[in-house]
Amino acid sequence: TCAACSAGSGSLGGAAQCTQCVAGTYSATSRSACSKCPEGFTSTAGQTMCTKCPKNTYAKGAGNSKCTPCPSGQTATEGSGACTECVAGEYSGSGACLKCSAGKYSSAAAVSCTDCAKGTYSSESGASSCTSCAAGKSQALAAQSACSDCATGSSSTAGSAACTPCMKGYFVDIAGSTACKACPEGSITTATGQTECTKCSHNTYAEGEGNNKCIDCDSGHTSPEGAGGCGQCGAGEYAD
């Protein structure tokens, strides 16, 4: 009589003995031929069932004896026949593509996220790039989700890591300014980072805009407070 092959082995017609199923195949019951493991599954020799490939590995096509690790920047769920590349704004981790947190970004197929540089930011998770701080704002730290307005007395251009104090002769009295303003004629600032200008005192003057020093009037000349020049004393008058 013909005897049944046991599970995990099989034979062709007319065989004198049963043969153990080779790696990558299986037979679940007696009197059955060995079948290839389906895609995403593997087996060693003599198995009655196939095993799913674990997370972040894959087995392409049928009849595999081992699972292959996913390349960097790609992931796979259990029992996968292929890996999936993480899109820009995501990174590979724990068998799934995860979004980068705010303040970070990534390109496609990333294994980790990159901090936004100083002077840039990303306000939401899943960013594929960072945005430069707008003019009038700055960010001195990396990996940030927002920029801050420049304080009064300072200004900035786009993408600044720090705001620049107004130079002497200039001022700004509004936070978040993109440029400092020149002191008007007859007024000055003598230090950097000022929010207002000071009028020149009586008998001194500052001609034109953007001055940092008031000049004394010449003998025989006078000026009122905040003057842009001095006037000559009239006949019958004098000024020391």
Side-chain angles (χ1 to χ4, degrees):
T1 60
C2 296
C5 293
S6 60
S9 63
S11 68
L12 299 175
Q17 61 180 16
C18 298
T19 303
Q20 186 181 59
C21 292
V22 298
T25 67
Y26 74 104
S27 67
T29 60
S30 60
R31 295 185 181 276
S32 64
C34 298
S35 302
K36 289 183 178 180
C37 291
E39 186 171 72
F41 289 74
T42 64
S43 73
T44 55
Q47 297 302 305
T48 61
M49 60 184 297
C50 300
T51 304
K52 281 184 180 181
C53 288
K55 288 181 179 180
N56 291 334
T57 67
Y58 70 102
K60 183 179 181 180
N64 288 288
S65 59
K66 65 178 182 178
C67 302
T68 303
C70 290
S72 296
Q74 298 186 20
T75 62
T77 55
E78 262 190 336
S80 291
C83 299
T84 302
E85 186 178 90
C86 295
V87 299
E90 298 180 344
Y91 69 102
S92 59
S94 303
C97 292
L98 307 175
K99 286 186 176 182
C100 295
S101 58
K104 298 175 181 288
Y105 74 101
S106 74
S107 53
V111 296
S112 62
C113 299
T114 303
D115 291 346
C116 290
K118 296 176 182 179
T120 68
Y121 71 101
S122 65
S123 58
E124 298 180 354
S125 61
S128 59
S129 63
C130 299
T131 303
S132 294
C133 294
K137 296 177 180 287
S138 69
Q139 181 49 260
L141 303 175
Q144 299 301 301
S145 60
C147 300
S148 300
D149 284 343
C150 291
T152 54
S154 65
S155 66
S156 75
T157 55
S160 294
C163 298
T164 303
C166 297
M167 62 183 184
K168 294 177 182 179
Y170 289 75
F171 77 104
V172 69
D173 54 358
I174 300 172
S177 292
T178 60
C180 297
K181 298 178 286 187
C183 289
E185 186 171 70
S187 64
I188 62 169
T189 60
T190 59
T192 60
Q194 299 303 298
T195 60
E196 61 181 0
C197 302
T198 303
K199 287 183 178 181
C200 291
S201 60
H202 181 66
N203 287 339
T204 67
Y205 72 99
E207 184 179 3
E209 297 181 335
N211 289 291
N212 58 28
K213 181 181 179 182
C214 295
I215 300 172
D216 292 335
C217 291
D218 293 334
S219 295
H221 294 72
T222 64
S223 70
E225 186 182 53
C230 299
Q232 182 175 294
C233 293
E237 299 176 338
Y238 76 98
D240 294 334

